[in-house]
Amino acid sequence: MFESFLVTGGAGFIGSHLVRHLASTYPAAKIIVIDALTYAGRWENLGEYANADNVVCIHGDIRDLTMLERVRAEHEPDAIVHLAAESHVDRSIHRPADFVTTNVVGTTNLLELGRQLAEHHTRFRFLHVSTDEVFGPIMTGNAEADTPYQPSSPYAASKAAADHFVRSFATTYNLPVVITNTCNNYGPNQHLEKLIPFMILRARRGETLPIYGDGEQVREWLHVRDHVRAIDCALHRGTIGATYLVGSGDRLTNKQLVIRVCSILDERCGGHHASQMQLTADRPGHDRRYALDSSRIHQELDWHAEIELDAGLRETVAWYLDNAEWMEAARTPDLNAWIATQYGHE
Ligand code: NAD
Ligand code: TYD
């Protein structure tokens, strides 16, 4: 249906899986990837797709209006899939400013680009990728698309603000938007700052596994390849103006999840990695529980998560163990030092 997709943040974790998916599923379409290559983005995440005939990689910042205008004039994409963001809660606590400029101002820049493109392409769509964190803690039941926003962290607040701008462009300018709010994703190529890769790296080094607070916070975990299929469904078949919540139903406490990862490591490498777990100071503003009601995307688009959690975790652990070089290149000592001080672990 679309001739060219503009994917922002395509050198990051979810974006790189999406580019691989789009490039292989729609070989006749052009995939234009914009990424600022921050600490979180690397063209290597695209593997051979970085050099594919139908993929164009542009090193650019979504805060740069001149660059965006150049891309519009040169490529005229008929769909924008927006994932570029500062994405790590601990970083947002440490230094919130980039979260405002990239997640809020950058999103608004892309919406303006979308307005221009929508004038020329009747089929134009803007798909905005958001998070369950905008709803704040869901102590019982599930968040629904119309649950009021109550973001706790600067990251969640910046994503909530971005979502509001997306909806305001739909209401004010009739921009054809679709929003997806997803839960915690996991899988290969996720940056080491996030829970699962961080625990794998530290476990193999014989270091402590820092669990914030009492470790009883509940998160819903979705494999990244299931998520990119959901984005594809929502982009091609979603109702204009709709919000789709994209979850797996697999909800675990952080302690339960880390124990599962440790037992997979034990099977592969021997030892008893869970004994390295250590409760630390809690994350400020740490939300107790997230849970999404994904019934709309199940019913309307017939999308369902397919990768069973244990199988997905096994694949993920294996990928990190087999990609030690990738792990080393993704280390960020500056942040690690701040995190260790903040949470009181070594
Ligand atoms: P990530 O941090 O791995 O990747 C983000 C990418 O955006 C990086 O490649 C980075 O270089 C790029 N980027 C950052 N600032 C930029 C800028 N100013 N201009 C252009 N590119 C820039 O993040 P991710 O985990 O892949 O998340 C992708 C999207 O999905 C984000 O919008 C995030 O809020 C959302 N999300 C992620 C999760 C998750 O569990 N990972 C869950 C819910 C929602
Ligand atoms: P994270 O991967 O940072 O994702 P998010 O904050 O976006 O959900 O963290 C997932 C959960 O794991 C969250 O409740 C915080 C917790 N956590 C720890 O307990 N220890 C850690 O070292 C990290 C990185 C996260």
Side-chain angles (χ1 to χ4, degrees):
M1 174 182 166
F2 297 105
E3 286 174 10
S4 58
F5 305 88
L6 172 59
V7 179
T8 69
F13 167 48
I14 301 170
S16 61
H17 284 272
L18 179 69
V19 171
R20 287 164 183 257
H21 171 88
L22 293 175
S24 55
T25 311
Y26 306 103
K30 186 163 65 165
I31 324 292
I32 304 128
V33 188
I34 294 181
D35 200 293
L37 304 180
T38 67
Y39 77 93
R42 299 154 64 185
W43 294 132
E44 290 89 322
N45 285 338
L46 292 171
E48 73 273 20
Y49 288 96
N51 300 312
D53 289 343
N54 61 338
V55 176
V56 180
C57 293
I58 299 169
H59 180 190
D61 192 313
I62 58 168
R63 293 168 290 191
D64 177 353
L65 286 167
T66 312
M67 180 278 298
L68 290 179
E69 174 50 27
R70 189 165 41 76
V71 171
R72 185 196 65 75
E74 198 171 325
H75 297 286
E76 285 278 332
D78 52 7
I80 295 179
V81 192
H82 175 39
L83 298 100
E86 288 293 337
S87 68
H88 187 38
V89 173
D90 288 323
R91 267 176 202 270
S92 82
I93 296 168
H94 184 34
R95 290 166 67 127
D98 283 347
F99 288 73
V100 179
T101 57
T102 285
N103 298 3
V104 186
V105 179
T107 298
T108 313
N109 290 345
L110 284 161
L111 289 164
E112 285 286 15
L113 190 75
R115 277 179 73 196
Q116 294 181 51
L117 291 166
E119 280 176 18
H120 302 291
H121 302 284
T122 46
R123 63 174 169 262
F124 179 80
R125 289 275 174 102
F126 187 108
L127 189 135
H128 173 65
V129 176
S130 190
T131 170
D132 56 4
E133 306 203 20
V134 295
F135 299 114
I138 302 294
M139 296 311 291
T140 54
N142 302 322
E144 320 253 346
D146 60 358
T147 297
Y149 279 18
Q150 206 179 342
S152 300
S153 67
Y155 163 67
S158 68
K159 293 295 289 186
D163 293 8
H164 288 318
F165 270 100
V166 175
R167 292 198 178 96
S168 77
F169 270 61
T171 308
T172 306
Y173 307 111
N174 282 325
L175 189 70
V177 306
V178 177
I179 297 181
T180 56
N181 293 77
T182 190
C183 57
N184 284 67
N185 279 214
Y186 71 97
N189 303 88
Q190 185 168 33
H191 194 276
L192 292 181
E193 67 194 359
K194 303 287 169 37
L195 179 68
I196 292 176
F198 192 58
M199 293 298 149
I200 298 170
L201 177 74
R202 289 185 66 95
R204 288 311 298 145
R205 288 209 184 125
E207 295 168 354
T208 58
L209 306 182
I211 310 291
Y212 300 163
D214 62 6
E216 297 297 329
Q217 304 82 6
V218 174
R219 296 291 181 268
E220 183 166 342
W221 291 92
L222 176 68
H223 195 284
V224 64
R225 287 199 303 275
D226 276 333
H227 181 204
V228 302
R229 275 194 308 103
I231 293 173
D232 183 351
C233 290
L235 177 65
H236 284 89
R237 295 188 282 114
T239 306
I240 288 177
T243 295
Y244 294 95
L245 306 187
V246 185
S248 62
D250 285 324
R251 297 168 192 155
L252 291 86
T253 67
N254 290 337
K255 267 201 303 214
Q256 288 170 329
L257 181 76
V258 174
I259 287 170
R260 281 215 202 180
V261 170
C262 285
S263 66
I264 297 170
L265 282 168
D266 296 349
E267 277 170 30
R268 287 190 57 115
C269 314
H272 180 51
H273 294 86
S275 64
Q276 293 161 237
M277 286 167 66
Q278 184 187 70
L279 298 182
T280 69
D282 205 355
R283 176 185 270 176
H286 200 178
D287 285 337
R288 200 67 184 159
R289 178 175 179 270
Y290 298 137
L292 290 175
D293 175 355
S294 306
S295 50
R296 182 172 193 175
I297 192 164
H298 294 163
Q299 286 158 15
E300 267 187 34
L301 306 182
D302 197 25
W303 172 91
H304 300 269
E306 288 173 358
I307 302 175
E308 194 262 327
L309 183 63
D310 253 350
L313 286 177
R314 277 173 202 288
E315 177 218 355
T316 304
V317 169
W319 188 87
Y320 281 100
L321 293 178
D322 293 344
N323 286 275
E325 280 174 25
W326 187 97
M327 297 260 265
E328 275 312 309
R331 287 186 60 210
T332 50
D334 57 325
L335 182 78
N336 292 353
W338 177 81
I339 285 180
T341 315
Q342 169 86 1
Y343 295 108
H345 63 79
E346 284 127 39

